[in-house]
Amino acid sequence: MIALLIRDMRLAFRAGGGFGLGLAFFLILAVLVPLGVGPDRTTLALIAPGILWVGALLACLLSLDRIFALDYEDGSLDLLATAPVPLEGVVSIKALAHWLTTGVPLVLVSPVLGLLLSLPVPAYGWLLLSLMLGTPALSVIGTFGAALTVGLKRGGLLLSLLVLPLYIPTLVFGAEVVSRGAQGLAVGTPLALLAGITAGAVALLPFASAYVIRINLR
Amino acid sequence: MSSLWEYANPLKFMRTTDWLLPIVAVAAVVITTIGLVWGFFFTPDDFRQGSTVKIVFIHVPAAMMAINAWVMMLVASLVWLIRRHHVSALAARAAAPVGAVMTVIGLITGAVWGQPMWGTWWAWDPRLTAFLILFLFYLGYIAMWSAIDDPDTGADLTAVLCLVGSVFAVLSRYAANFWNQGLHQGASLSVAPGTRMDWAYKAPLYTCMVGFGLIFLALVLAGTRTEIRARRMKALVARERMA
Amino acid sequence: MSLKVTDLACARGGLPLLEGVSFALVPGQALVLRGPNGCGKTTALRTIAGLQPAMAGQIDSPPDTIAYAGHADGLKATLSVTENLTFWAAIYGTNGIDHALDRMNLRQLADRAAQNLSAGQKRRLGLARLMVTGRPVWVLDEPTVSLDAASVALFADVVRAHLAAGGMALMATHIELGLPEARVLDLGPYKARLPDPSSGFDEAFL
């Protein structure tokens, strides 16, 4: 299992692995929004939590189709499915690798982008915390979507159509934490709900993902 | 001897719906017409909302069926996953477009109603938002079906998607509630403090609901028959190729 | 320990392809499946490897004994030969890839990225992967595609050594492997019969 994690991370960092694409996308988004909306600090501060969360979501989406598609094409997925490792574990590890190579970097750069978007000072901690709690759910849900579409040619667009609606609860609670934090309001409830969704998704979705992978390999 | 599962056999299903479908279809048209005519022309105007309120006779049944259709798809998906009855999977597939259209009708009539009442065609009210999200789930489900060639694989994948989607649809509903307290009135039929709606409205409204339910049933039956025939055709073509 | 297949029927895309396939393998034996394209060799192997359910019949083998190698080798282009092999060894919980590197003549290529290997070299790496699984039953789908004559002989030697060590091999192939001791099973006669059309519209629509 550890070997799989190491392999997936290594592949992500090697040439053509796509590491950094999500980050670059996130950065571009944070540059484009002020250019479109105007430089007014109060407006930007108001929309910053939402923009940052939507940006993280879309950046996450970019690399989802790589989770299984490459392994499917080169036959690794067949071999992993017949190897002495549970497929549920394989999909969990793959989601973890996706989170480590996409989610964590997004979390780490988010304060810098918050600066670009004039995010109010009290919100930075909540931004980091909410993304840290929410991005694992994005990876796990995305892994499920990738598992559903793995056998399809040109499944990328369908993948977005399937996954984005599933991201709604995470987005709502995540952005709510940040915007309440920015206004100095209590954030306990949305934070707990955000963590709850992540916990539920991490615990249950790998079973669904493994099930649909088996169907797709048939 | 006769169990419900018998109808899970495509042949038996086709034979039964041969005579059942026309009856349901006629009943659907008659009852819906009665309900709508009754509602539109033989009910008093609301003292505040005027005749605008009468759109309720389309809006509420459509919204109700939009949700019921998803619930039916969920049940049918479970039946497919657990008992592997093909008719069940095909019925879920047939219900999706009907549910999606009901959702759109609910949204459009809501907009038409909302414009004079709230002064806006659209507001990010939790109920409206939840319906829009439901529509997105329908789109994803339909797109998933149409993307897959092999019918059994398609049935399996969409069934899992429907299951997972249901959980997230409910979560989204709560998220939308949490995110914005809305303009939308509470459930129009709730029996909370005092009767909110007079029987003069309730009777035609119930009639319309039954009518919409029958329309949904007729469309799903017809759709399922089409799907069965399509699969039959696919199977025959495949058989030709095998021989 | 043995692999016993009884009355196996399998389908691809919902269409029955093969039925009534039976054979048994005991340690030291190899079986070659033959048959025209599309007769169901790959489907049968995937079913035996556990990737898809059998329509009917039984596949008896102790758990965790089968190593499957399909048309694709499961190699990562940007990883080196050593990294690819080490990964699979770790997944199967074995160690020591040296033996496999030596046997498949990959020693000189050990540090080269898989994307810079020729088709035949990739195939050899794919077969080396089988050796590091440490599993007794090899299920191989067209193992000699893109191998040159020398490599086919090398492959035959490796299979022979595997059999001598008490392993088993089940292979689908068209060419002569140079393994005269392997039994041959022609899948042609096991083609699934068409279901009776007069039975009409049953569950499977066939």
Side-chain angles (χ1 to χ4, degrees):
Chain A
M1 286 300 194
I2 304 289
L4 181 62
L5 182 64
I6 293 170
R7 182 192 76 148
D8 269 23
M9 304 272 296
R10 215 179 240 163
L11 286 172
F13 290 121
R14 293 260 161 106
F19 175 77
L21 279 182
L23 273 182
F25 178 84
F26 199 24
L27 172 67
I28 289 172
L29 198 87
V31 173
L32 289 185
V33 167
L35 289 176
V37 173
D40 179 37
R41 291 182 62 86
T42 47
T43 315
L44 283 178
L46 204 61
I47 60 171
I51 298 297
L52 288 169
W53 255 95
V54 170
L57 207 107
L58 295 176
C60 225
L61 196 68
L62 275 185
S63 47
L64 285 181
D65 62 336
R66 306 183 64 90
I67 298 181
F68 292 118
L70 299 177
D71 279 347
Y72 180 79
E73 279 160 23
D74 67 19
S76 305
L77 205 53
D78 281 347
L79 303 178
L80 281 171
T82 54
V85 284
L87 205 49
E88 287 79 5
V90 170
V91 298
S92 304
I93 291 291
K94 290 208 154 258
L96 177 62
H98 179 262
W99 181 63
L100 289 175
T101 52
T102 309
V104 172
L106 289 179
V107 177
L108 295 180
V109 301
S110 62
V112 181
L113 304 189
L115 205 67
L116 289 177
L117 292 169
S118 328
L119 189 71
V121 177
Y124 282 92
W126 298 120
L127 177 68
L128 278 171
L129 186 63
S130 71
L131 281 174
M132 206 65 181
L133 281 175
T135 43
L138 301 184
S139 288
V140 174
I141 295 168
T143 306
F144 171 68
L148 272 175
T149 53
V150 70
L152 300 172
K153 290 167 199 74
R154 295 184 302 280
L157 203 59
L158 179 64
L159 177 63
S160 320
L161 185 59
L162 296 180
V163 165
L164 283 176
L166 301 179
Y167 278 174
I168 290 171
T170 304
L171 168 69
V172 168
F173 293 125
E176 191 73 19
V177 169
V178 185
S179 54
R180 287 193 182 194
Q183 296 162 39
L185 300 172
V187 297
T189 317
L191 201 59
L193 288 167
L194 181 68
I197 289 171
T198 301
V202 170
L204 298 176
L205 272 180
F207 294 97
S209 308
Y211 186 80
V212 295
I213 289 268
R214 285 204 189 90
I215 292 165
N216 271 323
L217 289 181
R218 268 199 320 233
Chain B
M1 164 69 219
S2 94
S3 109
L4 182 64
W5 300 119
E6 265 183 38
Y7 299 95
N9 177 307
L11 185 60
K12 175 85 179 164
F13 180 87
M14 290 302 268
R15 278 197 200 128
T16 311
T17 49
D18 270 340
W19 56 266
L20 187 62
L21 178 57
I23 297 176
V24 175
V26 170
V29 172
V30 170
I31 293 179
T32 310
T33 313
I34 292 175
L36 289 180
V37 170
W38 185 1
F40 285 163
F41 303 109
F42 300 97
T43 51
D45 284 356
D46 185 78
F47 73 97
R48 268 187 310 139
Q49 302 195 12
S51 59
T52 323
V53 76
K54 290 182 178 179
I55 204 166
V56 79
F57 298 111
I58 300 176
H59 179 71
V60 170
M64 195 183 78
M65 288 320 296
I67 295 168
N68 288 357
W70 187 275
V71 173
M72 183 232 127
M73 281 158 56
L74 175 61
V75 173
S77 298
L78 280 171
V79 170
W80 161 252
L81 284 178
I82 295 165
R83 299 207 45 157
R84 316 294 296 174
H85 291 311
H86 288 90
V87 172
S88 168
L90 296 179
R93 178 176 194 172
V98 186
V101 169
M102 290 288 182
T103 314
V104 172
I105 294 176
L107 285 170
I108 291 175
T109 52
V112 170
W113 191 4
Q115 211 288 325
M117 290 303 110
W118 306 330
T120 173
W121 294 98
W122 179 259
W124 287 96
D125 163 272
R127 273 190 179 225
L128 275 66
T129 311
F131 263 85
L132 197 57
I133 293 171
L134 180 64
F135 181 61
L136 296 180
F137 277 99
Y138 272 120
L139 282 187
Y141 181 88
I142 296 168
M144 185 89 220
W145 258 117
S146 55
I148 302 164
D149 251 357
D150 182 70
D152 279 0
T153 306
D156 276 325
L157 296 182
T158 51
V160 178
L161 176 66
C162 182
L163 247 65
V164 174
S166 303
V167 176
F168 279 89
V170 172
L171 281 175
S172 303
R173 177 77 183 94
Y174 282 103
N177 253 344
F178 179 83
W179 164 76
N180 190 358
Q181 322 300 332
L183 300 163
H184 200 288
Q185 54 187 294
S188 314
L189 287 170
S190 67
V191 282
T195 34
R196 304 254 296 280
M197 196 185 267
D198 193 72
W199 265 108
Y201 287 103
K202 263 192 191 174
L205 183 58
Y206 284 148
T207 314
C208 284
M209 284 178 172
V210 173
F212 269 68
L214 287 170
I215 290 177
F216 171 74
L217 184 62
L219 289 174
V220 170
L221 287 180
T224 310
R225 284 169 65 87
T226 312
E227 296 292 344
I228 289 177
R229 288 194 171 118
R231 269 213 68 171
R232 175 78 179 145
M233 242 159 66
K234 238 185 180 166
L236 287 173
V237 170
R239 168 198 284 279
E240 279 301 301
R241 224 178 288 133
M242 254 174 80
Chain C
M1 185 177 57
S2 66
L3 172 68
K4 193 165 172 356
V5 171
T6 322
D7 227 6
L8 178 72
C10 45
R12 184 180 55 220
L15 281 177
L17 279 178
L18 291 169
E19 60 186 17
V21 179
S22 300
F23 61 83
L25 274 181
V26 295
Q29 283 188 335
L31 180 70
V32 173
L33 299 181
R34 285 192 199 274
N37 291 124
C39 78
K41 293 190 296 293
T42 296
T43 307
L45 292 181
R46 286 180 73 85
T47 309
I48 290 165
L51 283 168
Q52 59 182 64
M55 276 175 75
Q58 283 205 308
I59 300 158
D60 297 304
S61 70
D64 289 346
T65 50
I66 292 178
Y68 169 77
H71 291 280
D73 293 311
L75 303 175
K76 287 295 165 195
T78 50
L79 296 186
S80 73
V81 169
T82 312
E83 283 169 333
N84 268 303
L85 275 185
T86 313
F87 165 67
W88 287 109
I91 287 288
Y92 282 89
T94 58
N95 44 27
I97 60 161
D98 290 330
H99 177 63
L101 279 179
D102 289 334
R103 283 312 302 263
M104 291 316 294
N105 218 354
L106 290 164
R107 179 61 72 188
Q108 290 78 27
L109 306 169
D111 295 322
R112 196 178 292 184
Q115 60 195 352
N116 299 327
L117 299 179
S118 74
Q121 288 166 336
K122 274 185 197 158
R123 199 67 204 173
R124 262 156 52 203
L125 176 53
L127 297 171
R129 184 195 66 82
L130 271 175
M131 302 181 68
V132 304
T133 61
R135 294 248 171 130
V137 184
W138 288 1
V139 175
L140 312 177
D141 197 356
E142 302 283 4
T144 52
V145 168
S146 46
L147 290 184
D148 59 18
S151 298
V152 171
L154 191 68
F155 167 70
D157 284 345
V158 168
V159 173
R160 205 171 282 127
H162 176 65
L163 298 179
M168 291 163 259
L170 176 63
M171 294 169 280
T173 180
H174 291 289
I175 68 155
E176 203 49 60
L177 289 174
L179 277 171
E181 65 270 40
R183 284 183 293 146
V184 172
L185 180 69
D186 187 1
L187 286 180
Y190 298 101
K191 187 171 182 226
R193 279 160 295 136
L194 285 168
D196 182 11
S198 63
S199 69
F201 224 108
D202 64 1
E203 273 281 83
F205 301 90
L206 264 171

